[in-house]
Amino acid sequence: MKKIIFTLAVSLVFSASAFASSGNEVEKQEWSFNKLTANWEKDKIKRGYTVATQVCINCHSFKYVSHRNLMEVGFSEVEAMAMAATMDTKINKPLLSALEPTDAKDSFGKIPPDLSVINKAREGGADYVYAILTGYPEEIPIDFEGANYNTAFAGHNIAMPAPLSEDLIEYEDGTPATIEQMAHDVAYFLQWTAEPELLKRKKLGTYVLVYLFIFAILAILVNRRIWARLKK
Amino acid sequence: MKKAIAWFDDRLPIFSYMKKNLVEFKEPKNLNWMWTFGSLAGIALVIQILSGVFLAMHYKPDVNLAFDSIQQIMRNVDGGWIIRNMHAVGASFFFAVVYLHIGRGMYYGSYKAPREVMWWMGIILFFLMMATAFMGYVLPWGQMSYWGAKVITNLFSVIPFVGEDVVVWLWGGFNVGDPTLNRFYALHYLVPFIIVGVVILHIWAVHHKHSNNPTGKTLKKKTDFVPFHPYYTAKDTVGLSVYLIIFCFMLFFMPDYLGHTDNYIPANPIQTPPHIVPEWYFLPFYAILRAIPIKEIGVIAMGISIAILFVLPWLDRSKVVSGRYRPIFKWMFLVFVLNFFVLGWVGSKPPEGIYVLISRISTAVYFSYYLLLPFISKFEKTKPEHETL
């Protein structure tokens, strides 16, 4: 039985790694939200919000996000209301694009997807979104036929024209708006919109696991004690 | 208080019944850790039902609202994300535990006389679980929900003459749509309670003929047994705590790992995803389905691949119950289990190129276990069984 269990365990590990499917050209980036102790960084959210609401929203909606949600990551109600006001909207209104689906279809042949949960809806998450946004090379293969060439997109033919360009927007905090910076900030923002509970979840999880480890040790000790009775 | 309980128990002996079956019940004293998966499966079921009831309070079974309502639960319901992840991850863990539980039964011969009926109840439970999980996966109404529902319900079209009508009847329309989602929701809420009923029968049968044990022998001596409480309550608590550590790790740190990213894309009937894959726990059977080029036979093979468990007690003709004393069976079983992983892996791959070949070979290996067993078990030279525990 021991031998069998061992062989099983080894094969489990192998099959688990085989199950994890490989993506296309998506490089892993460093994300501060991967750290266990991280909190959502207000300035990064603000920058990502700026990109999202000045660039992406021209085509994409964020239907599960409203300005009120910003109050969960350190913005005051006054700030959130002011930000909503600059966009001519109300604090409780979802962030919707003004682009009509039919118009989008006419212009791009496709309807731009809602971006609220996009980081969960694509293999690679934030890395993938970053790769898409930075994946428009200056030189495209000569034999490419299609709308726009993208290194990360499956099939490389993407309907979205390169949305970012150097200094497309101006950051309030003076950060230079390079393509990489904007891509990073908006992908970070999208991680928050996709799973606002992410950091809370991991922190709570750490406590739960510590508690369960203690519980397991106690359970093991009690179990030993009880079974020791039989030996007497 | 004691008096009140005695008064009540005299009229409806529910307390003495529970005491007899959950406290004083006699278990073989040599059960190893593989025997914890039974009670873990029970706990996994309770977790699913409880978390499910809370989800049901917020979920909306409507094709236009279902996807959004899940996001509402994740974002705006207090503790909603915990409950929802618990339910989703919990389904996977339920299957993992049940697979281990079935595997333990197969290795130690728990299906053999006098436990055949108990074994049948278990297989019925497995079928009911699969139906429940399948319908549950449709509820979030993502791309995989929709297309998975479409592919699986379409399998019924192979039924001669009435197949197409049966599919329309299942859908409640001419496509997977609002009526389908509604009925799946109703059934997804109903079947778990049928499962609870069959679990009671399953445990009843176990208690009637006693649990099997690693030696497979029928124990007669009183000293071979210990009361369930405190011995196995303590042991199962250890099992539970280890289970909860792994479960909570997945729940809090990688809740979406076992799911498919496509299910975060709302269902779109006019856009087929590149690969339609079911949840991991269906993959071995999905691989068998696809391994066979003729659809009708594939569906039958998939059905038989599970239903064959019903006759396993008679396919195995060995007098020796436990795999421990059966040198050839042991290795056959190991190959069977490893092959099951191969089936699962190949089930997640697109049905093209080398994967087709692999899936065919491992389908053959899967069935050869059941086909060879009657012969091997007859001629196999078994090792002497241990006399004392």
Side-chain angles (χ1 to χ4, degrees), chain B residues 3 12 20 91 131 141 150 189 230 237 257 277 294 305 323 328 363:
Chain B
K3 251 194 186 151
L12 179 66
K20 211 174 101 202
W141 210 243
K150 190 138 175 158
Y189 205 121
T237 307
Y257 180 77
V277 275
I294 304 161
S305 69
I328 304 179
T363 300

Side-chain angles (χ1 to χ4, degrees), chain B residues 272-325:
Chain B
T272 322
H275 306 302
I276 302 174
V277 275
E279 291 275 83
W280 69 266
Y281 38 79
F282 290 139
L283 288 174
F285 306 110
Y286 191 58
I288 291 175
L289 170 74
R290 294 191 310 177
I292 293 161
I294 304 161
K295 189 179 167 194
E296 285 79 1
I297 300 185
V299 175
I300 295 170
M302 181 172 73
I304 291 181
S305 69
I306 307 171
I308 201 166
L309 289 169
F310 279 113
V311 292
L312 184 59
W314 295 275
L315 291 178
D316 187 347
R317 285 146 69 171
S318 175
K319 292 263 169 341
V320 175
V321 174
S322 170
R324 245 189 206 178
Y325 312 111

Side-chain angles (χ1 to χ4, degrees), chain A residues 53-125:
Chain A
T53 55
Q54 289 187 18
V55 185
C56 316
I57 205 163
N58 289 315
C59 302
H60 297 275
S61 291
F62 306 78
K63 65 173 169 177
Y64 300 124
V65 186
S66 70
H67 281 87
R68 184 171 290 286
N69 295 122
L70 289 167
M71 289 165 59
E72 296 154 24
V73 285
F75 291 83
S76 68
E77 186 160 12
V78 178
E79 281 175 305
M81 266 157 87
M83 286 156 85
T86 40
M87 289 185 64
D88 267 335
T89 182
K90 294 275 176 336
I91 187 164
N92 287 329
K93 284 263 154 50
L95 295 173
L96 298 181
S97 173
L99 182 68
E100 292 290 334
T102 43
D103 293 346
K105 228 165 173 160
D106 287 345
S107 320
F108 308 108
K110 278 191 178 163
I111 300 168
D114 187 280
L115 290 184
S116 324
V117 287
I118 199 81
N119 280 20
K120 283 190 175 195
R122 295 290 183 280
E123 200 80 46

Side-chain angles (χ1 to χ4, degrees), chain B residues 84-104:
Chain B
R84 195 268 169 142
N85 288 343
M86 190 185 280
H87 200 72
V89 177
S92 277
F93 272 66
F94 195 3
F95 271 94
V97 162
V98 163
Y99 275 126
L100 288 162
H101 187 60
I102 296 174
R104 188 270 290 153

Side-chain angles (χ1 to χ4, degrees), chain B residues 323-344:
Chain B
R324 245 189 206 178
Y325 312 111
R326 305 174 59 187
I328 304 179
F329 170 84
K330 219 182 219 176
W331 289 105
M332 258 176 83
F333 180 70
L334 178 64
V335 171
F336 176 80
V337 175
L338 289 179
N339 180 64
F340 199 66
F341 283 108
V342 175
L343 275 175

Side-chain angles (χ1 to χ4, degrees), chain B residues 17 21 25 27 35 37-39 41-42 45 94 98 101-102 104-105 110-111 114-126 128-129 194-212 310:
Chain B
Y17 184 83
N21 280 291
F25 177 73
E27 285 281 14
W35 261 263
F37 295 113
S39 67
L45 175 62
F94 195 3
V98 163
H101 187 60
I102 296 174
R104 188 270 290 153
S110 301
Y111 48 81
R115 298 188 183 84
E116 300 94 324
V117 174
M118 182 272 318
W119 177 252
W120 284 349
M121 294 302 145
I123 302 160
I124 292 171
L125 283 172
F126 186 51
L128 291 173
M129 260 180 83
I194 300 176
I195 291 183
V196 169
V198 182
V199 164
I200 291 173
L201 299 180
H202 187 64
I203 297 176
W204 188 0
V206 174
H207 283 196
H208 185 55
K209 287 288 176 193
H210 281 294
S211 296
N212 186 25
F310 279 113

Side-chain angles (χ1 to χ4, degrees), chain A residues 1 3-5 7-8 11-12 15-22 36 63-65 69 72 105 110 116-124 192-198 200-209 212-224 226-230, chain B residues 28-34 67-69 71-72 74-76 81-82 84-85 107-108 225-226 230-232 234-238 240-242 244-246 248-249 251-257 260-262 264-266 270 280 283 324 330-331 333-334 337-338 341 344-346 348-349:
Chain A
M1 191 66 193
K3 213 189 280 176
I4 290 187
I5 288 182
T7 325
L8 281 183
S11 61
L12 243 177
S15 57
S17 52
F19 270 119
S21 57
S22 57
L36 204 56
K63 65 173 169 177
Y64 300 124
V65 186
N69 295 122
E72 296 154 24
K105 228 165 173 160
K110 278 191 178 163
S116 324
V117 287
I118 199 81
N119 280 20
K120 283 190 175 195
R122 295 290 183 280
E123 200 80 46
W192 170 67
T193 63
E195 30 188 8
E197 81 286 358
L198 174 68
K200 201 167 44 172
R201 187 182 81 211
K202 289 202 243 181
K203 280 189 194 119
L204 182 58
T206 313
Y207 291 120
V208 170
L209 285 185
L212 284 173
F213 269 109
I214 297 171
F215 178 72
I217 291 168
L218 290 177
I220 289 167
L221 293 177
V222 169
N223 184 49
R224 281 220 182 132
I226 285 173
W227 283 84
R229 289 185 206 166
L230 274 191
Chain B
K29 68 176 181 190
N30 62 334
L31 301 186
N32 62 28
W33 289 103
M34 289 305 289
F67 191 91
D68 289 347
S69 74
Q71 286 303 319
Q72 283 303 313
M74 296 291 283
R75 288 156 198 271
N76 299 333
W81 59 268
I82 297 188
R84 195 268 169 142
N85 288 343
Y107 180 75
Y108 289 108
F225 293 95
V226 291
Y231 291 94
Y232 285 106
K235 192 162 181 168
D236 285 354
T237 307
V238 176
L240 176 64
S241 58
V242 174
L244 285 179
I245 286 172
I246 308 170
C248 287
F249 177 76
L251 167 57
F252 286 101
F253 293 91
M254 38 202 331
D256 291 315
Y257 180 77
H260 198 291
T261 44
D262 275 11
Y264 280 105
I265 305 172
I270 51 173
W280 69 266
L283 288 174
R324 245 189 206 178
K330 219 182 219 176
W331 289 105
F333 180 70
L334 178 64
V337 175
L338 289 179
F341 283 108
W345 165 75
V346 77
S348 72
K349 297 291 174 194

